[in-house]
Amino acid sequence: MEKNEATGAQPLLFPKPVFHNKIWGGRYLHDEYGYDIPDGDVGECWAISAHPNGDCTIEGGPYDGRTLSELWQDEHELFGDAKGDRFPLLIKILDARQNLSVQVHPDDAYAAEHENGSLGKRECWYVLDCKPGATIVVGQRAHDRAEFAKMVEEGRWDDLLYSVPIKRGDFFMIEPGTIHAIQAGTVVLETQQSSDVTYRVYDYDRVQADGTKRELHIPQTLDVVDFSLPLPKSGDVTAPEKDGVTVLGTCPNFEVERVRVAEGSPARVPQTHDFVCVSVVHGEGGKVTTPAGSWDLRLGSHFVAPAGSGDLDFEGDMELVVSWPEG
Ligand code: ZN
């Protein structure tokens, strides 16, 4: 759909997801979301990404065939006044059939210095599905670097790692410096800074198909673990729901909301931001209408509403996760 001549509104951008095979992945992304995924164990759907390790191509409309990173460089008006030298967010669905490694991410300052100018990685998870009794690692119990190093060396993982039970609909903000691990039987929608820097501290001594173990990064982990972070009691969402909208989390990099749309209960999401990312995470699907036109949505649809798209009017039966950049 071309930019609407009558209203001047920018059409929505539909990126084609990029999939990544992972030792801990599976087939859920095909079986439950209907994605056309590669053979083997697939762990990650990079649904909205301009990161070089998975730069999405736009499908349909005036920008068909161009990558999100190209649009950021060449058509920057689509992203309003958003600052920075790269598209700042990355939206993923993760399917953990096995435990993810125990890991931590650096902040912007450490990543810029030690990882070739990369962004740091603040991330958050919205739990889409999990098996009964599932848990998630969201912190650690050592008080300082020396104690942490000793517990790692002695392999005292049960003492070191802090985990909580999870259920569908839980939300966790994972600050840089937080030891974390998504555990087997869990599917999450992850909203994060556009970064692929992960320091692995423990991988359960797993061996890959080629007989090797994945690399660990103990020195970097010791550098970046933040011992001052509080341990969350649960992932309960306690914010009120108003007209179908619940604020899941805010942080210096992004805000994330859940929007519920039901038959007879449409929802409007104002587009007052530099851009807005939308993912259809549950339900049958429906339709989104803007001043530029109307698009069908189904479970697993993702799009970017650019600056100047106008407000988003949703109808149908679906639950959405919506986010935009801050700062
Ligand atoms: Zn992570």
Side-chain angles (χ1 to χ4, degrees), residues 58-325:
I58 305 302
E59 290 190 302
Y63 305 106
D64 182 52
R66 298 176 68 184
T67 63
L68 195 51
S69 69
E70 284 169 18
L71 296 187
W72 180 267
Q73 291 301 328
D74 303 338
E75 313 283 350
H76 199 72
E77 71 281 0
L78 293 171
F79 308 99
D81 298 322
K83 293 184 186 56
D85 59 358
R86 68 203 96 179
F87 184 83
L89 301 185
L90 207 173
I91 314 297
K92 293 179 184 174
I93 300 177
L94 279 74
D95 167 28
R97 291 303 97 195
Q98 305 296 328
N99 294 344
L100 269 72
S101 62
V102 178
Q103 57 185 254
V104 64
H105 307 296
D107 63 13
D108 288 337
Y110 189 92
E113 187 180 341
H114 298 276
E115 301 291 345
N116 226 350
S118 172
L119 293 178
K121 188 170 165 188
R122 182 179 270 111
E123 67 189 33
C124 65
W125 307 323
Y126 180 62
V127 178
L128 301 180
D129 194 7
C130 62
K131 67 180 185 188
T135 61
I136 212 154
V137 175
V138 284
Q140 59 78 38
R141 294 193 184 86
H143 298 94
D144 56 34
R145 183 178 174 127
E147 187 183 5
F148 186 95
K150 189 162 189 291
M151 291 172 91
V152 168
E153 201 179 300
E154 294 170 355
R156 292 166 54 203
W157 302 111
D158 288 347
D159 294 337
L160 179 63
L161 302 177
Y162 175 82
S163 52
V164 296
I166 57 166
K167 60 186 180 307
R168 176 173 154 160
D170 279 358
F171 179 83
F172 295 92
M173 184 69 73
I174 306 297
E175 293 292 326
T178 306
I179 292 286
H180 62 276
I182 296 171
Q183 303 284 282
T186 307
V187 181
V188 305
L189 188 286
E190 181 171 276
T191 304
Q192 56 161 100
Q193 289 181 268
S194 184
S195 171
D196 203 19
V197 180
T198 294
Y199 299 138
R200 240 179 251 130
V201 61
Y202 181 46
D203 203 26
Y204 317 96
D205 299 315
R206 269 190 298 219
V207 178
Q208 303 178 97
D210 66 0
T212 62
K213 291 182 182 177
R214 298 196 295 175
E215 190 185 355
L216 298 179
H217 315 88
I218 308 289
Q220 295 94 327
T221 298
L222 291 171
D223 280 350
V224 306
V225 172
D226 183 345
F227 296 96
S228 70
L229 292 170
L231 300 174
K233 293 217 162 22
S234 76
D236 289 349
V237 173
T238 53
E241 180 169 325
K242 189 167 179 293
D243 298 329
V245 179
T246 305
V247 177
L248 295 174
T250 57
C251 71
N253 301 104
F254 45 77
E255 175 159 339
V256 183
E257 293 184 349
R258 177 183 62 206
V259 179
R260 296 190 214 256
V261 184
E263 296 299 341
S265 300
R268 166 167 284 197
V269 173
Q271 210 313 32
T272 55
H273 308 283
D274 291 327
F275 62 90
V276 173
C277 300
V278 178
S279 301
V280 181
V281 296
H282 292 303
E284 295 292 314
K287 203 165 79 164
V288 56
T289 302
T290 75
S294 215
W295 291 263
D296 288 333
L297 300 174
R298 60 172 185 79
L299 180 63
S301 293
H302 307 263
F303 67 85
V304 177
S309 74
D311 294 346
L312 309 171
D313 283 305
F314 294 96
E315 55 191 305
D317 163 36
M318 50 190 174
E319 185 176 305
L320 314 169
V321 173
V322 177
S323 59
W324 54 84

